[in-house]
Amino acid sequence: MLKNLINLIYPQTCFGCKNLLLKNEKTLCSDCLHELPKTYHHNIFENDLTKKFYGIIPIEFGASFLYFKSYGIVKEIIHNLKYRDKQEIGTLLGNLYAYELKEVIEQNNITEIIPVPLHPKRLKKRGYNQVTTFCVSLSENLNIPLNESLLVRNLYTETQTHKDKVARQYQTNLFEARFSEQDCGKHFLLVDDVITTGATLEKCANALLKIPNSKVSIVTIAFTQS
Ligand SMILES: [Zn+2]
């Protein structure tokens, strides 16, 4: 009753196109849902994501759910998820993607889901990691535990411009896996929102691969097409 009243005063709009949502629609309208630019990476072993890591870091499999462009639905929903606290977008996308990933996840015996951690300062300012609800949704649908404390981001200042030796060293140690014996021998699914160059994911994967007998696979919500 109250919810209907609120809907009447503040009608819910689609986070993709801003059109009013119908009564049975939630988060995204059916048009936006239908038009999501899926990559179908999970059906192809050698896809645009896995190719980014060739010869750089060994990953078991990799896939992005959607294509990210400089305009359109995906840009809009990622912006809403990242900066406007619309965390339900992560939940919806996680539910949709879990369904598609199920087979490849089972084939690869993934044992734990690891989100790329935010810088603590940014986490404090934003109040949430934008990839958390997506990870929770994958975890619940695929029945794989989520581990948010294994991989940590150290408090270094990120510099993209300083290419001196010290800065490079800091960059390499930006992420660290704080592991114990029980974390050994696992297959981690590393998850981020958008992959562009892959540099962040590479550092995270490197940190996880320092754990004895570990394997790493990578999933992102979106893939930036260059
Ligand atoms: Zn829409």
Side-chain angles (χ1 to χ4, degrees), residues 149-209:
S149 55
L150 179 65
L151 188 65
V152 293
R153 190 189 282 248
N154 287 318
L155 280 165
Y156 301 128
T157 314
E158 280 180 81
T159 56
Q160 293 297 332
T161 46
H162 296 283
K163 294 290 174 196
D164 57 277
K165 209 176 167 186
V166 180
R168 268 212 305 269
Q169 189 62 35
Y170 278 179
Q171 294 249 323
T172 325
N173 297 328
L174 195 61
F175 295 94
E176 188 190 336
R178 299 203 177 143
F179 65 97
S180 59
E181 211 175 314
Q182 60 174 25
D183 300 306
C184 300
K186 289 188 172 173
H187 187 166
F188 301 109
L189 183 69
L190 184 59
V191 182
D192 205 1
D193 54 354
V194 182
I195 179 168
T196 306
T197 63
T200 303
L201 283 160
E202 182 196 324
K203 286 175 204 139
C204 290
N206 253 321
L208 289 172
L209 287 170

Side-chain angles (χ1 to χ4, degrees), residues 14 17 29 32:
C14 168
C17 68
C29 72
C32 281

Side-chain angles (χ1 to χ4, degrees), residues 87-109:
Q87 295 190 69
E88 56 267 53
I89 291 167
T91 307
L92 172 71
L93 298 179
N95 284 338
L96 295 172
Y97 205 28
Y99 182 75
E100 297 192 5
L101 282 178
K102 207 171 173 31
E103 206 178 308
V104 73
I105 293 275
E106 278 170 7
Q107 282 166 358
N108 281 277
N109 278 322

